[in-house]
Amino acid sequence: MSVIKVKEYFKSFGIENKVIELEQSSATVELAAEAIGCEQERIAKTLSFLVGDKGILVVVAGDARIDNRKYREEFHEKAKMISSEEVEKIIGHAPGGVCPFGINENIEVYLDISMKRFSTVYPAAGSGNSAIQLDIAELEKYSNSKKWVDVCKGWTVN
């Protein structure tokens, strides 16, 4: 189970106990916000794309959507999401639990600036009923992100 993989990953940092396992599903932004008791914007959703034949992750705020023009400018090709049938094999987590922790090797992680307006966010933790609360510096550190990007639209500064 992927949540176990994520807890093992966090064990090396001594924060495996911060992983929240929920009774109900947190597989969508709406369900996660309801289960955790926070605003939907603060759910850090992890989107998986193919750039060439390589998988990447882009972590964005819950109210943000990929802006195709900005994405193309950043990655030099059209946004192509990994199919739900392929995501676990390529990334290491199944749909609903995709997160930037405990992932397969050579997967680059990018953080979208839409999350910078929050002190803390809630990304998934490897399963469709898990999450972890992290501040922005922790998210940056534990995700081993390559860099911050601006590839979204639809969100507003609070």
Side-chain angles (χ1 to χ4, degrees), residues 91-112:
I91 302 299
H93 297 302
V98 176
C99 64
F101 321 111
I103 55 179
N104 291 340
E105 287 186 30
N106 301 315
I107 302 294
E108 291 180 350
V109 176
Y110 298 88
L111 304 177
D112 187 76

Side-chain angles (χ1 to χ4, degrees), residues 13-31:
F13 302 104
I15 63 163
E16 68 275 13
N17 293 331
K18 285 185 71 168
V19 173
I20 306 162
E21 291 191 73
L22 303 155
E23 294 293 320
Q24 64 270 50
S25 175
S26 61
T28 67
V29 169
E30 297 80 12
L31 292 171

Side-chain angles (χ1 to χ4, degrees), residues 96-144:
V98 176
C99 64
F101 321 111
I103 55 179
N104 291 340
E105 287 186 30
N106 301 315
I107 302 294
E108 291 180 350
V109 176
Y110 298 88
L111 304 177
D112 187 76
I113 64 166
S114 59
M115 293 182 296
K116 283 191 169 186
R117 62 197 149 133
F118 305 111
S119 55
T120 60
V121 292
Y122 294 89
S127 71
N129 67 326
S130 66
I132 185 166
Q133 181 181 16
L134 298 172
D135 66 34
I136 297 303
E138 290 172 322
L139 177 64
E140 193 170 12
K141 174 184 175 181
Y142 300 133
S143 69
N144 293 311

Side-chain angles (χ1 to χ4, degrees), residues 10-79:
F10 282 137
K11 192 178 257 185
S12 65
F13 302 104
I15 63 163
E16 68 275 13
N17 293 331
K18 285 185 71 168
V19 173
I20 306 162
E21 291 191 73
L22 303 155
E23 294 293 320
Q24 64 270 50
S25 175
S26 61
T28 67
V29 169
E30 297 80 12
L31 292 171
E34 186 178 315
I36 292 164
C38 73
E39 304 87 359
Q40 291 183 18
E41 308 77 78
R42 290 184 54 216
I43 300 301
K45 59 184 176 183
T46 305
L47 306 174
S48 49
F49 296 94
L50 286 175
V51 174
D53 60 353
K54 184 177 177 193
I56 68 163
L57 295 176
V58 181
V59 187
V60 308
D63 61 344
R65 297 184 324 274
I66 293 295
D67 180 308
N68 289 321
R69 181 188 55 78
K70 289 180 176 182
Y71 183 96
R72 183 184 296 270
E73 286 173 6
E74 180 65 44
F75 297 107
H76 310 291
E77 61 183 74
K78 183 179 176 183

